[in-house]
């Protein structure tokens, strides 16, 4: 079974730029996988940041961007803020109704 | 206001049943595929079921196929998940979402605990 890979943790300084990635244990991610990105803080439901690679969900600041970088989907945060400290999950569509989430990245802003 | 509100979670014994509901408002529910996604105690997210806008197509994860049934009532803008033969490993927060391909609305979740 194909695994969706994410960095387990990442840290960034306030004001810094960071790119989180979402890959496959076998193969390359493309727009055909409809990559989605979600932000989750403790005790809250996931909040959609992007769907279908780079379609920004309503209310998401433009310092967040979604893209394909190389063979992975990517979430870039430019000018990180303290309240960006969250867990970030990606999801990929494998076909035949099969959606697989990554294990999440815990982002620390310090 | 555009929102999804889940209900029906609770504590149930192994082998028991529960029916979750997800009430939609603020958008045309009947236009969207709908999903159930659960988040286990280890925080892993799993898409367990989907249903097409017209109920003609459904998908299930292997872990729930044959035990869970997804359905919807477009006249009531409500999504359902009938869960039978529940197991300890079904313990999770259950979220309903709109189609992950084209939108990103999530409910607040409802907690299901399977324990004796």
């Amino acid at each position: 079974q194909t695994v969706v890979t994410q960095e387990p943790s990442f840290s960034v300084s306030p004001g810094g730029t960071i790119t989180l990635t979402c890959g496959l244990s076998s193969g390359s991610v493309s727009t055909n996988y409809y990559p989605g990105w979600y932000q989750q803080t403790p005790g809250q439901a996931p909040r959609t940041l992007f769907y279908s690679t780079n379609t920004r969900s309503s209310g998401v600041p433009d310092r967040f961007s979604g893209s394909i970088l190389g063979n992975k989907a990517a979430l870039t945060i430019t000018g990180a803020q303290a309240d960006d400290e969250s867990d970030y999950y990606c999801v990929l569509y494998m076909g035949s109704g099969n959606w697989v989430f990554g294990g999440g990245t815990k982002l620390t802003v310090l | 206001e555009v929102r999804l509100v889940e209900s029906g979670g609770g504590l149930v014994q192994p082998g028991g049943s529960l029916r979750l509901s997800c009430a939609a408002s603020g958008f045309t529910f009947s236009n969207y595929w709908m999903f159930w996604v659960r988040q286990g105690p280890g925080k892993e997210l799993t898409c367990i079921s989907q249903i097409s806008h017209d109920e003609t197509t459904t998908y299930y994860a292997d872990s729930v196929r044959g035990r869970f049934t997804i359905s919807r009532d477009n006249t009531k803008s409500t999504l359902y998940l009938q869960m039978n033969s529940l197991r300890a490993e079904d313990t999770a927060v259950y979220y309903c979402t709109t189609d992950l391909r084209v939108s990103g609305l999530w409910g607040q979740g409802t907690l299901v605990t399977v324990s004796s």
Side-chain angles (χ1 to χ4, degrees):
Chain A
Q1 171 153 345
T2 301
V3 175
V4 176
T5 62
Q6 294 186 250
E7 299 86 0
S9 64
F10 237 130
S11 63
V12 62
S13 300
T17 296
I18 189 166
T19 297
L20 310 182
T21 67
C22 178
L24 290 168
S25 56
S26 176
S28 299
V29 177
S30 69
T31 56
N32 294 330
Y33 285 84
Y34 296 94
W37 288 96
Y38 309 90
Q39 178 189 50
Q40 188 179 36
T41 53
Q44 300 297 311
R47 168 199 184 199
T48 299
L49 298 175
F50 294 92
Y51 53 90
S52 197
T53 307
N54 56 10
T55 303
R56 185 179 284 105
S57 191
S58 177
V60 174
D62 59 8
R63 56 197 181 77
F64 289 86
S65 61
S67 65
I68 301 291
L69 285 180
N71 62 349
K72 296 182 179 182
L75 174 70
T76 300
I77 307 172
T78 304
Q81 300 181 1
D83 61 4
D84 295 336
E85 188 162 291
S86 303
D87 292 330
Y88 291 85
Y89 294 90
C90 69
V91 73
L92 299 176
Y93 182 56
M94 304 301 186
S96 301
N98 186 23
W99 290 85
V100 180
F101 286 88
T105 296
K106 182 177 182 61
L107 180 65
T108 301
V109 180
L110 53 70
Chain B
E1 181 186 5
V2 177
R3 64 189 304 203
L4 296 170
V5 179
E6 301 93 337
S7 59
L11 174 64
V12 61
Q13 293 187 339
S17 298
L18 278 178
R19 188 195 197 201
L20 306 184
S21 299
C22 168
S25 59
F27 65 99
T28 306
F29 177 76
S30 59
N31 285 352
Y32 288 87
W33 280 65
M34 294 296 297
F35 293 32
W36 285 101
V37 175
R38 71 184 182 186
Q39 187 166 35
K43 303 203 307 183
E44 71 283 2
L45 289 164
T46 305
C47 182
I48 58 169
S49 189
Q50 307 155 56
I51 187 167
S52 61
H53 58 92
D54 59 2
E55 279 196 280
T56 57
T57 304
T58 57
Y59 292 111
Y60 297 93
D62 290 343
S63 57
V64 306
R65 187 176 293 114
R67 300 187 298 122
F68 291 11
T69 302
I70 191 171
S71 63
R72 64 191 296 162
D73 185 339
N74 286 342
T75 67
K76 296 181 179 179
S77 296
T78 302
L79 176 72
Y80 302 101
L81 186 68
Q82 177 66 44
M83 304 188 296
N84 299 330
S85 303
L86 282 161
R87 307 165 179 167
E89 54 265 35
D90 295 318
T91 294
V93 176
Y94 286 72
Y95 297 99
C96 62
T97 80
T98 50
D99 189 342
L100 298 180
R101 291 170 299 177
V102 301
S103 61
L105 183 61
W106 292 63
Q108 86 289 349
T110 187
L111 176 63
V112 173
T113 303
V114 185
S115 175
S116 55

